[in-house]
Amino acid sequence: MLGTIRAFWNDQRGVAMLFAAIMVPVLVGFALLAIDMSRANSLHNDMQKGADAFALAAAAELDGNTDAITRANRARDNLLKTNATKFSTADYHKLVPADLTVTYLSGIPASDSIGLNAAGVDENGVNWSTTDPKAARFAEVTVNSTAFATIFPASFVGSNDTMNLQTQAVAGFNNALCQFTPMFICNPYTSIGALQTAVSGTTKPMIWLKEQTGGSSAQYGPGNYGFLSSPQGDKSTATLTEMFAVTSPPACYSQNGVKTRPGNIPPVNAGINTRFDIYDNGGPYKTDPTLNPPAPNVRKGMVVKNAGKSNCSYDAPNSGQANNYKALPRDNCFTSGSCSQAGVLGDGSWDFAGYWTVNHGNASTAGVITSCGANPSRYCVYKFETANPTLKSGQEATAPQCNTTTQGADRRLLYVAIIDCVANTVQGGGQTLPVQAFASVFVTEPAGGAPNADIYGEIEDISTVVGQNTLKKLQRNEAQLYR
């Protein structure tokens, strides 16, 4: 009997079946877990792509206009109508607004490591959400928690047979201007709102732009101007000057921030003045008549010499000629010394009658008044002269006399970034600064050279919601994912 028991104890036949009986359920369980994780990962990726698409569609409408959020919600609803899903074992499901939480944000945390909940509140308690369409810059889309049915019978081990998945995406709207001169000016007004009010009418204020030459520690103030770093990298002074001469500078700048160019830059008047048919013989501007053409109207109160020849140039009128030549005048307050903001900001009041009499004699002003108003801007008068080549003219011709290959009327516009230099303590270069708006400035007279590289111009339009939309041709609006 004892021998039989010992033999049974030592008998190993069939032991593999025992291990198989134990391991097969474990192996099958791991296989089911692997399948479930693969399905969950695939579903999560699809949900994330959906969240990304919804966020981009909504963010593309956040252009700062008063109906921006309304249009963003419409874009969301249009996507919901055309998409459906089938999650796990659930039946065909048509997407509805309840499947998403869309929150509009005025900003986002500086680091992606700082979490952001569906209501737009980050881990530090900062609430970034906004309902103001003018302030909304980002769309946060959270796909609400979705129950994912597992194949693995987790209930056998006291767990749930479902898994909750949730995804989130944040996209933002980026407004950039391209073919843009690399220049910024310090807002001469106390606020961007005051600037918007000033340019909303037909009378345009003049600004006296002064280059800040006090060194890297000098504080830029209202009316100062400086240069921007090119997105392609800082160029030489000659290349920078060329960017002011060409018709389409190869640069784009984002309203989210621009970087000021470091170092002292000599005046770029040689580039700007090609627009007035004034060419620097030491530069490349006269080697090809189609290169850097002037504007079709270059009236500037100057006398031409050797018109149409290679040595063509312009000079200031002598004392005997002075009464027959008159450039677009500066605002009257510049003469009286009563201009505001430390004397750099005019009020749009200028000697239109005197300018017209010298250059057009007794020609009727009815047409220009109809087109430009009783107190016309210099830019409107300039365009009226351009559009009416048969208008009676005085001693100075309207059209260029040196390089007759001309560009469109906007050739005398500089496109600049408006920056609050006081609030941002702008000093020297190398700073990344927020842009209040982009603006077009009509250059009223040739730019000065060293040592006083002054520029006089009218601010014509700005890129904010109250602008006249003349800058839209330069704008590139893009939505991109941030989180």
Side-chain angles (χ1 to χ4, degrees):
M1 183 65 182
L2 185 59
T4 301
I5 294 174
R6 184 179 297 112
F8 177 79
W9 181 259
N10 293 326
D11 191 352
Q12 298 183 12
R13 288 175 297 175
V15 69
M17 294 298 295
L18 178 62
F19 283 110
I22 296 173
M23 292 304 299
V24 164
V26 174
L27 293 174
V28 170
F30 275 116
L32 293 178
L33 280 176
I35 293 172
D36 280 340
M37 293 307 298
S38 176
R39 293 172 62 235
N41 184 63
S42 178
L43 176 58
H44 186 274
N45 287 340
D46 288 344
M47 290 172 63
Q48 187 62 60
K49 291 177 182 177
D52 293 348
F54 277 102
L56 286 168
E61 305 297 334
L62 301 180
D63 56 4
N65 286 302
T66 54
D67 62 342
I69 289 181
T70 300
R71 286 185 283 107
N73 288 335
R74 186 183 304 132
R76 173 205 62 192
D77 294 341
N78 287 338
L79 280 180
L80 287 170
K81 291 176 183 178
T82 57
N83 284 276
T85 185
K86 187 174 182 180
F87 291 133
S88 186
T89 57
D91 199 1
Y92 178 88
H93 173 65
K94 189 76 172 178
L95 291 176
V96 296
D99 293 320
L100 306 173
T101 299
V102 180
T103 305
Y104 297 102
L105 313 174
S106 59
I108 56 177
S111 173
D112 288 346
S113 63
I114 300 175
L116 197 64
N117 67 21
V121 180
D122 69 24
E123 293 175 351
N124 298 323
V126 179
N127 188 352
W128 299 93
S129 66
T130 182
T131 57
D132 182 357
K134 295 182 179 180
R137 289 185 51 223
F138 300 91
E140 178 194 30
V141 173
T142 303
V143 178
N144 296 333
S145 184
T146 300
F148 170 76
T150 63
I151 299 175
F152 180 79
S155 57
F156 287 174
V157 292
S159 187
N160 295 319
D161 292 340
T162 59
M163 184 186 305
N164 290 329
L165 299 178
Q166 188 175 48
T167 57
Q168 184 184 82
V170 176
F173 183 82
N174 182 35
N175 180 10
L177 261 72
C178 297
Q179 299 181 2
F180 190 84
T181 40
M183 183 178 183
F184 74 89
I185 67 174
C186 298
N187 191 350
Y189 291 86
T190 55
S191 67
I192 188 63
L195 172 60
Q196 292 177 151
T197 300
V199 301
S200 61
T202 58
T203 300
K204 303 298 183 182
M206 174 170 265
I207 182 172
W208 176 12
L209 296 172
K210 302 179 180 181
E211 185 177 10
Q212 175 57 266
T213 58
S216 59
S217 61
Q219 170 70 50
Y220 281 72
N224 285 145
Y225 75 87
F227 302 104
L228 300 174
S229 288
S230 168
Q232 289 78 32
D234 289 326
K235 309 294 185 181
S236 65
T237 298
T239 304
L240 180 68
T241 302
E242 182 75 1
M243 291 181 74
F244 279 85
V246 298
T247 57
S248 300
C252 295
Y253 295 93
S254 170
Q255 190 159 349
N256 293 340
V258 293
K259 185 177 180 181
T260 57
R261 183 186 176 100
N264 291 325
I265 306 297
V268 294
N269 56 300
I272 294 174
N273 290 344
T274 62
R275 304 158 188 257
F276 287 90
D277 198 32
I278 299 174
Y279 292 88
D280 180 4
N281 286 322
Y285 313 125
K286 295 182 73 174
T287 59
D288 182 345
T290 63
L291 184 65
N292 311 325
N297 181 350
V298 297
R299 192 183 299 277
K300 50 191 173 291
M302 300 180 74
V303 182
V304 67
K305 294 173 59 178
N306 304 312
K309 298 181 180 180
S310 60
N311 59 344
C312 179
S313 64
Y314 293 87
D315 287 330
N318 59 38
S319 58
Q321 299 169 314
N323 291 333
N324 298 320
Y325 289 83
K326 189 176 182 67
L328 285 167
R330 299 171 185 173
D331 281 358
N332 299 328
C333 66
F334 286 110
T335 303
S336 64
S338 58
C339 288
S340 60
Q341 288 292 78
V344 302
L345 185 60
D347 57 7
S349 176
W350 59 288
D351 185 15
F352 165 63
Y355 171 82
W356 190 267
T357 299
V358 169
N359 290 294
H360 305 299
N362 60 0
S364 173
T365 60
V368 70
I369 295 300
T370 300
S371 299
C372 306
N375 297 302
S377 70
R378 278 155 288 231
Y379 182 51
C380 194
V381 172
Y382 155 85
K383 290 196 296 183
F384 183 85
E385 292 175 327
T386 304
N388 294 274
T390 61
L391 180 68
K392 181 180 179 181
S393 186
Q395 294 296 311
E396 182 180 7
T398 298
Q401 302 297 297
C402 292
N403 184 353
T404 57
T405 303
T406 62
Q407 183 67 13
D410 288 349
R411 181 71 172 124
R412 276 175 58 180
L413 291 177
L414 289 179
Y415 299 101
V416 301
I418 304 288
I419 291 175
D420 188 340
C421 294
V422 175
N424 290 286
T425 317
V426 179
Q427 293 177 313
Q431 294 178 267
T432 299
L433 302 167
V435 177
Q436 291 184 299
F438 292 105
S440 57
V441 178
F442 171 61
V443 184
T444 59
E445 61 188 70
N452 299 314
D454 296 339
I455 302 170
Y456 286 86
E458 283 182 345
I459 302 177
E460 300 301 328
D461 197 9
I462 54 179
S463 62
T464 64
V465 292
V466 302
Q468 301 171 39
N469 294 325
T470 60
L471 296 177
K472 283 191 175 296
K473 61 185 178 182
L474 303 177
Q475 287 181 312
R476 178 184 293 171
N477 300 328
E478 298 177 337
Q480 67 180 67
L481 289 170
Y482 286 86
R483 297 166 70 94

